[in-house]
Amino acid sequence: MLIDFKLEKLSGHATSGKVGKILKKVNDKVAIGDEILNIESKKGNVSVSSNVSGIIKSIEVNTGDTVKKGDVLAKVEGEQGATANTNSPKKPSNSGAGFNYMGGLMKPKKEDIDIDITIIGAGPGGYVAAIKAAQLGAKVALIEKENIGGTCLNWGCIPTKAFVRSASVFKDLKEADSYGLSAENVSVDINNVVNRKNEIVAQLVGGIEFLIEKNNISLFRGHAELIDSNTVFVKHGNKETTIHTKDMILATGSKSSTVPIKGVDSENVITSNEILNIKSMPKSLVIIGGGVIGMEFAFIFKNLGVDVTVVEFANSILEALDDDISSEIASVAEEKGIKVYSSSKVTEILDTENKEKIVVFSKDEKKHYVTGDKVLLAVGRQPNMDGLDLQKLGIDLNDRGRGIKVNEKMQTNIPNIYAIGDVTNIIQLAHVASHQGIVAVENILGHDATMNYDVVPSAVFTDPEIGVVGLSEKEAKKQNIKISTGVFPFEANGKALTLGESRGFAKIIKDKNTNKILGASIVGPHATDLIHELALAVKNGLKDVDIIETIHAHPTTSESIHEAALASTSLGAIHFSE
Ligand SMILES: Cc1cc2nc3c(=O)[nH]c(=O)nc-3n(C[C@H](O)[C@H](O)[C@H](O)COP(=O)(O)OP(=O)(O)OC[C@H]3O[C@@H](n4cnc5c(N)ncnc54)[C@H](O)[C@@H]3O)c2cc1C
């Protein structure tokens, strides 16, 4: 049995540390209690001992790497029952500065507690719900089996955006001459890119842990099991807790989907989780899936200098967006040298003699082959309902069993059980999960809150960025809503030119008769921030004139919104004419 040997504790409240001396090597035999490595952090040093007996099969870290709690340090081939609990700090090590935290093989302690609201999963859905419930005076238990912050903080929103930033700094340095500068010998050190990402994640996770503690939320680190609609069981460290709860919120998130094709489980076929901890730069990367996650990684790795190919099943990349937005991104991708194959069905993944991957796909009834050092699977995410035994409780699922079914109050068919976030599979975004969490908590505590998905901004961190909110042109057509649009290109915006980022446009969609703003799409610099002015407009039923009469500062990219509102009228924009 291959066991992940994870970092369970750091000194004091440290959230991350650096790997110091590694005392063991691959194929060494280890017994429980053997020292494997040292971790140095600002708060002191920790000597890390094995909680496993067996043979070390791989060491997953290098001296100097930044690591945080929960990171896998080594993989050990052990026997069933070859692990000991590690959650309790132990006696100080003889180095004086640190401590050895190897736990004993003690009998689990059992306890029963009474709680108002038990929340399973501490992602942006669960932890926000927990804080809100505690603020409103409820006694709250929060259970997390892996990392506080869930997918978003550890493997999603934040890590990807740290990569986006590293990639964009690298790109700017490579293009320094276009800004009148010179930068020579610029190169990527992917280990440091990953380390920077880890430090940002650790800082944010530490912040959430602080808030959980500050709000007196009882945090349990373990896998939650549902016993009945008022009872949850969690084994954490050397304890087994039975929680008797009035209400419950399921916030167990999602996991990467896969495709049932030959070779999908082979070496160097990876998911977003793995690529965010990549140890060496691939020369070439094939991405299966041209949706949001796939396209964000396509631009990240292209900007880092990797040869990128995207294979997408749908007729275009970012198919859910309006055609003008996805085709603008497709043409920037092409200019940058990202190869995109749409309407293409991947059929198998093979290996060349020298371990390169061959992705085979069919397009126009012909077989095509593309090669890469690594293949990234970005084919969507599925609700994570593993081990919850929802059937036992009679909890209804969505159509085709994809996600937990909820009403607009986030309540399942069992009145005291609510579900929020990706596990409901309604809109898989962090801010939606958080908002759903607040709605669930307010309903549990006797307020009357409902979830409305008409005004959900979404942000896509391609290069250039995309921000969309409210009604799209595609949706208006489907629903037969009469609209008119106003479009303003960033090439006519002074700030965009100074930034050297003049691709894209801002588009406002308004009701043709009432002039009320119904939606907007922006592709261009700062689009993910700019979209919120329009979210406020849509939410509050504002009209084009409300934006037109609002003075926008010069020179800013937000002037593009002012101009798009002008462009939606018969007089047209001031600073642009076709
Ligand atoms: C690569 C990538 C990039 C992304 N970028 C963005 C972005 O830029 N913006 C955005 O809005 N969204 C983004 N997302 C989506 C976002 O991460 C999710 O929508 C969000 O994390 C969902 O929150 P959640 O709380 O529902 O679930 P999660 O964040 O998945 O958290 C669920 C938690 O529940 C825990 N859990 C599950 N089962 C149990 C159990 N039985 N017992 C105890 N704990 C359990 C899990 O360990 C996990 O920590 C991205 C996702 C990915 C993969």
Side-chain angles (χ1 to χ4, degrees):
M1 182 178 58
L2 202 59
I3 301 167
D4 283 347
F5 172 54
K6 291 185 181 175
L7 179 61
E8 302 270 10
K9 280 253 175 276
L10 284 161
S11 188
H13 293 293
T15 51
S16 67
K18 274 206 184 333
V19 177
K21 211 165 172 190
I22 301 176
L23 305 158
K24 297 278 178 197
K25 51 185 193 321
V26 171
N27 289 331
D28 276 359
K29 220 173 163 183
V30 284
I32 292 175
D34 284 356
E35 199 172 344
I36 295 195
L37 48 80
N38 293 310
I39 303 282
E40 303 158 2
S41 78
K42 285 177 194 149
K43 310 254 167 88
N45 294 336
V46 175
S47 143
V48 181
S49 303
S50 182
N51 60 346
V52 179
S53 64
I55 292 170
I56 297 187
K57 284 292 166 197
S58 67
I59 296 189
E60 300 291 314
V61 291
N62 296 311
T63 298
D65 281 0
T66 302
V67 284
K68 57 184 174 20
K69 280 186 247 173
D71 282 354
V72 177
L73 303 173
K75 289 186 187 279
V76 177
E77 183 77 53
E79 302 291 323
Q80 195 88 34
T83 56
N85 160 53
T86 55
N87 279 328
S88 45
K90 272 208 104 190
K91 62 180 179 7
S93 76
N94 37 14
S95 72
F99 60 84
N100 179 315
Y101 61 85
M102 199 279 292
L105 286 164
M106 292 176 288
K107 258 192 165 175
K109 284 193 196 125
K110 296 188 183 203
E111 64 173 8
D112 279 52
I113 58 166
D114 290 319
I115 285 288
D116 295 332
I117 306 178
T118 299
I119 300 165
I120 303 177
Y127 84 73
V128 167
I131 294 173
K132 187 73 185 175
Q135 284 173 340
L136 292 173
K139 195 171 169 198
V140 184
L142 179 63
I143 309 171
E144 173 53 58
K145 68 180 169 66
E146 287 178 24
N147 293 3
I148 303 297
T151 305
C152 178
L153 262 62
N154 297 284
W155 302 282
C157 328
I158 298 297
T160 47
K161 271 78 250 186
F163 268 48
V164 165
R165 178 69 181 142
S166 291
S168 99
V169 171
F170 182 65
K171 181 197 77 173
D172 288 350
L173 288 169
K174 295 286 273 186
E175 293 171 358
D177 56 345
S178 66
Y179 298 90
L181 310 169
S182 72
E184 280 161 24
N185 299 326
V186 185
S187 61
V188 177
D189 181 335
I190 195 67
N191 289 313
N192 285 337
V193 171
V194 172
N195 287 345
R196 174 179 182 270
K197 177 268 293 181
N198 287 344
E199 278 168 19
I200 295 165
V201 169
Q203 187 176 342
L204 287 169
V205 171
I208 305 301
E209 285 170 344
F210 166 79
L211 293 173
I212 289 170
E213 205 177 322
K214 189 92 194 181
N215 282 286
N216 292 322
I217 295 162
S218 304
L219 175 65
F220 298 91
R221 291 179 185 269
H223 187 283
E225 286 172 46
L226 303 185
I227 305 299
D228 60 41
S229 60
N230 291 102
T231 317
V232 179
F233 174 80
V234 56
K235 191 167 183 299
H236 51 112
N238 198 41
K239 267 190 179 170
E240 291 180 356
T241 303
T242 303
I243 303 173
H244 304 280
T245 189
K246 289 184 195 147
D247 293 280
M248 205 186 288
I249 301 178
L250 307 176
T252 51
S254 61
K255 55 186 180 181
S256 293
S257 298
T258 185
V259 278
I261 53 165
K262 192 178 151 200
V264 77
D265 293 323
S266 59
E267 206 185 337
N268 289 325
V269 179
I270 56 177
T271 66
S272 57
N273 281 15
E274 284 119 31
I275 206 165
L276 289 165
N277 286 312
I278 199 162
K279 295 237 180 311
S280 59
M281 278 290 275
K283 281 203 178 69
S284 51
L285 176 68
V286 180
I287 301 177
I288 303 179
V292 171
I293 293 176
M295 289 315 294
E296 287 191 357
F297 279 113
F299 281 94
I300 288 169
F301 279 91
K302 188 70 214 177
N303 283 341
L304 287 172
V306 175
D307 184 15
V308 177
T309 305
V310 178
V311 185
E312 167 58 50
F313 180 72
N315 292 337
S316 68
I317 55 162
L318 301 170
E319 211 216 4
L321 301 176
D322 274 346
D323 294 345
D324 50 357
I325 301 285
S326 52
S327 61
E328 179 72 358
I329 294 295
S331 69
V332 179
E334 196 185 326
E335 281 164 31
K336 279 181 182 279
I338 298 172
K339 293 179 268 319
V340 176
Y341 297 91
S342 50
S343 311
S344 301
K345 185 177 180 196
V346 174
T347 50
E348 59 183 320
I349 304 169
L350 307 169
D351 287 301
T352 64
E353 288 299 322
N354 51 359
K355 294 257 182 237
E356 249 194 336
K357 309 303 291 184
I358 307 171
V359 174
V360 186
F361 61 92
S362 59
K363 181 177 168 68
D364 303 329
E365 288 167 19
K366 274 194 217 129
K367 253 189 181 183
H368 299 256
Y369 304 82
V370 284
T371 56
D373 296 341
K374 293 211 185 282
V375 175
L376 172 68
L377 267 190
V379 290
R381 295 185 60 85
Q382 51 176 307
N384 178 17
M385 301 181 285
D386 295 350
L388 284 181
D389 213 351
L390 299 173
Q391 262 172 338
K392 183 176 76 184
L393 270 72
I395 296 176
D396 286 348
L397 302 184
N398 293 335
D399 293 345
R400 292 188 289 136
R402 294 184 60 101
I404 298 175
K405 192 172 178 180
V406 286
N407 62 19
E408 76 283 1
K409 292 178 178 295
M410 307 316 300
Q411 195 174 27
T412 68
N413 58 313
I414 310 286
N416 71 323
I417 303 185
Y418 291 69
I420 59 170
D422 282 9
V423 77
T424 64
N425 207 7
I426 299 171
I427 299 181
Q428 291 184 335
L429 289 173
H431 41 287
V432 173
S434 300
H435 203 80
Q436 290 175 327
I438 290 169
V439 167
V441 164
E442 287 183 340
N443 285 314
I444 290 171
L445 296 177
H447 307 258
D448 186 20
T450 51
M451 198 58 209
N452 178 346
Y453 300 96
D454 291 345
V455 194
V456 174
S458 44
V460 185
F461 293 81
T462 39
D463 178 19
E465 298 180 344
I466 304 167
V468 297
V469 72
L471 192 74
S472 62
E473 281 192 84
K474 262 188 188 164
E475 202 52 46
K477 205 169 171 187
K478 250 196 234 162
Q479 296 181 31
N480 212 5
I481 300 172
K482 297 274 168 275
I483 55 160
S484 60
T485 58
V487 177
F488 185 79
F490 280 103
E491 65 187 5
N493 175 269
K495 178 72 180 283
L497 293 187
T498 66
L499 292 171
E501 296 177 39
S502 57
R503 289 301 299 253
F505 53 86
K507 175 175 76 176
I508 286 179
I509 297 165
K510 63 179 193 181
D511 185 297
K512 204 173 177 127
N513 301 318
T514 64
N515 288 326
K516 270 193 184 172
I517 295 166
L518 302 177
S521 302
I522 305 172
V523 54
H526 307 164
T528 58
D529 297 308
L530 292 176
I531 198 65
H532 294 92
E533 176 177 353
L534 292 152
L536 196 69
V538 179
K539 171 87 177 61
N540 292 287
L542 301 187
K543 295 182 174 177
D544 53 0
V545 67
D546 295 307
I547 289 183
I548 290 167
E549 288 176 358
T550 303
I551 299 173
H552 287 65
H554 177 73
T556 62
T557 47
S558 73
E559 288 172 286
S560 63
I561 294 174
H562 190 236
E563 293 276 8
L566 284 165
S568 74
T569 67
S570 55
L571 291 178
I574 304 251
H575 288 93
F576 185 73
S577 178
E578 298 269 3

